[in-house]
Amino acid sequence: GIQVEQSPPDLILQEGANSTLRCNFSDSVNNLQWFHQNPWGQLINLFYIPSGTKQNGRLSATTVATERYSLLYISSSQTTDSGVYFCAVERSYNTDKLIFGTGTRLQVFP
Amino acid sequence: NAGVTQTPKFQVLKTGQSMTLQCAQDMNHNSMYWYRQDPGMGLRLIYYSASEGTTDKGEVPNGYNVSRLNKREFSLRLESAAPSQTSVYFCASGTGYTEAFFGQGTRLTVV
């Protein structure tokens, strides 16, 4: 099956810092999403981004499908950004299996 | 606008007991999924359903059964619970080509 690797596994930042999270995948995909799992366990949709670039406030994401990676940028981080960030992908030939990466745990301190 | 609703939110079972986790979505999605998340780990796919009447195994199907009752509802059954099934269970729905949305999760403890 498709492999999804995220880096770094852990990230500790001070409030106001910027960061880049990476998601590598081993096969072509037609669906790629970024999620934030907050400290209460809730999964929050951030981006649906199988290709291209999107921005939403302090967050932006870029997927380069031909090179099989996606990046999530967090600027001016806040303590509320803490939690685990997951990317999830589905292979191009419509397997309907949404497979998650192992996540990046982010801690933002004041 | 409820989205994806899971019941119950919390459950404690004794080893060998059975239970069914319920999931319903109101977004008219074709695809529905069940995942489990163990402490400190990512989500692993248990079963998924690409459309009403079809179900397929995911990464970790052993010990579970599912039913796609209709387009809205997708249930997960544990026939004989084991301590290794202690986990947080998430249901999700999507169209397969757009965003998937997740329920709030069910925290299951098997003692």
Side-chain angles (χ1 to χ4, degrees):
Chain A
I2 191 168
Q3 304 300 313
V4 186
E5 296 180 355
Q6 291 186 242
S7 59
D10 295 281
L11 193 53
I12 300 173
L13 298 175
Q14 195 155 23
E15 219 169 15
N18 302 329
S19 60
T20 301
L21 284 58
R22 187 176 180 105
C23 173
N24 291 333
F25 42 94
S26 61
D27 205 344
S28 56
V29 300
N30 65 3
N31 184 349
L32 188 146
Q33 291 185 242
W34 283 97
F35 295 90
H36 175 213
Q37 187 169 39
N38 64 23
W40 296 269
Q42 185 181 4
L43 281 160
I44 299 163
N45 291 42
L46 296 178
F47 294 102
Y48 167 73
I49 187 166
S51 63
T53 297
K54 290 187 178 179
Q55 181 158 7
N56 184 4
R58 295 180 297 103
L59 274 61
S60 63
T62 295
T63 297
V64 184
T66 53
E67 297 187 20
R68 300 183 182 170
Y69 72 89
S70 183
L71 302 174
L72 177 68
Y73 305 96
I74 305 174
S75 65
S76 303
S77 57
Q78 301 175 358
T79 56
T80 52
D81 294 331
S82 296
V84 183
Y85 290 80
F86 291 105
C87 70
V89 304
E90 178 188 343
R91 285 187 305 183
S92 287
Y93 33 96
N94 194 21
T95 63
D96 286 298
K97 288 184 179 181
L98 190 61
I99 302 298
F100 276 70
T102 50
T104 292
R105 182 175 300 277
L106 174 64
Q107 298 179 71
V108 181
F109 291 96
Chain B
N1 193 5
V4 179
T5 304
Q6 291 183 233
T7 55
K9 289 186 170 49
F10 301 93
Q11 184 71 49
V12 179
L13 289 178
K14 293 182 179 178
T15 297
Q17 287 185 317
S18 61
M19 81 161 293
T20 300
L21 281 64
Q22 306 286 354
C23 176
Q25 53 96 4
D26 62 3
M27 294 175 282
N28 202 35
H29 287 158
N30 287 325
S31 300
M32 296 187 74
Y33 312 85
W34 276 105
Y35 291 87
R36 62 177 288 174
Q37 185 178 31
D38 298 321
M41 296 184 67
L43 280 76
R44 292 184 292 171
L45 183 63
I46 305 171
Y47 270 94
Y48 67 103
S49 170
S51 62
E52 184 179 350
T54 67
T55 61
D56 283 289
K57 295 178 180 179
E59 301 165 282
V60 288
N62 291 345
Y64 305 95
N65 286 304
V66 291
S67 295
R68 184 73 182 267
L69 305 170
N70 48 55
K71 193 171 187 178
R72 289 187 65 249
E73 299 172 290
F74 189 38
S75 62
L76 178 71
R77 183 160 178 85
L78 287 71
E79 290 291 352
S80 178
S84 60
Q85 294 178 305
T86 294
S87 191
V88 180
Y89 291 84
F90 288 97
C91 176
S93 74
T95 64
Y97 286 101
T98 59
E99 288 182 273
F101 293 89
F102 282 76
Q104 298 281 62
T106 295
R107 189 172 297 274
L108 175 66
T109 302
V110 183
V111 298

